Amino acid sequence: MGSKTISGVTIECMQGDITKQADLDAVVNAANAQLRPGGGVAGAIHRAAGPELDELCRPLAPIRPGEAVITSACNLPNKHVIHALGPVYGKDTPSDRILADAYRNSLARAEEAGLASVGFPALSTGVFGYPMDEAAAVALKTIAEEAPKLNTVKLVRMVLFGTKDADVHEKALAQLSE
Ligand code: AR6
């Protein structure tokens, strides 16, 4: 696992499952605009959270690319789920700015709720087609840029499904200046 502390915020990268991060206040869902279960991360989060999560999401939908909304985490081992809509790579443009917005807005929702720790999957890198190395650079640069502005959030963890994806993120983390 890679880790670095910037302005008092610890940023970690690890291989794992976003639905099994019991020590985090919130996990971020790689959502669709309608906030419906879907596949990938969204399917896994809704399955673990139970059907009540879908009910909580309905009145908050639709959201636009780059936006994020927060709900309770229902049966997940966290307090909250933050539902973020990343860009479809090359279709929602400029994709890098919209991806950065999705991370920034997710952190803003966590701060508003007074949370101390948040876990992200690699937004947009599955069905939405964002190349992993480019997405990792945007994700970690954005989290590092936001770190000095965060008051309540002290831990941000990138949770990557594959070991290769975790390596790519750890390298991007190592390249950030402290
Ligand atoms: N834990 C951590 N990472 C995961 C997990 C998991 N349990 N499952 C998948 N990943 P995706 P997107 C990785 O497709 O590209 C959905 O159907 C996965 O390997 O979930 O933002 C929604 O309904 C990939 O690297 O999100 C939307 O329609 C990353 O998480 C659409 O897909 C994101 O993959 C969103 O697409």
Side-chain angles (χ1 to χ4, degrees):
M1 183 178 80
S3 157
K4 190 173 257 186
T5 301
I6 298 178
S7 304
V9 178
T10 300
I11 304 170
E12 297 177 347
C13 296
M14 61 169 280
Q15 190 271 327
D17 183 334
I18 195 72
T19 66
K20 301 206 161 68
Q21 305 301 313
D23 60 327
L24 299 179
D25 288 340
V27 288
V28 176
N29 179 16
N32 49 71
Q34 298 302 326
L35 304 177
R36 300 310 307 276
V41 169
I45 282 189
H46 277 269
R47 261 194 310 279
E52 195 201 339
L53 185 62
D54 194 24
E55 297 298 321
L56 295 178
C57 283
R58 275 170 206 259
L60 304 175
I63 62 169
R64 286 179 304 221
E67 289 185 341
V69 294
I70 188 167
T71 65
S72 145
C74 302
N75 293 334
L76 277 163
N78 317 98
K79 289 187 208 143
H80 297 278
V81 175
I82 295 167
H83 308 263
L85 180 59
V88 176
Y89 187 68
K91 177 169 170 284
D92 298 316
T93 56
S95 295
D96 57 348
R97 207 172 74 200
I98 297 171
L99 185 61
D101 285 346
Y103 281 92
R104 240 189 318 269
N105 284 321
S106 297
L107 291 171
R109 294 300 86 78
E111 283 274 309
E112 287 159 10
L115 308 184
S117 51
V118 188
F120 283 93
L123 298 173
S124 287
T125 62
V127 173
F128 285 177
Y130 215 117
M132 191 62 72
D133 53 345
E134 288 179 36
V138 172
L140 288 158
K141 179 168 172 279
T142 304
I143 295 164
E145 280 171 1
E146 291 305 297
K149 303 176 216 163
L150 299 174
N151 295 309
T152 70
V153 175
K154 297 295 172 204
L155 171 64
V156 180
R157 178 182 298 157
M158 293 292 307
V159 182
L160 296 316
F161 220 19
T163 49
K164 192 159 158 272
D165 302 339
D167 284 348
V168 168
H169 282 75
E170 282 183 31
K171 287 205 178 85
L173 177 64
Q175 280 164 13
L176 295 176
S177 49
E178 284 186 57

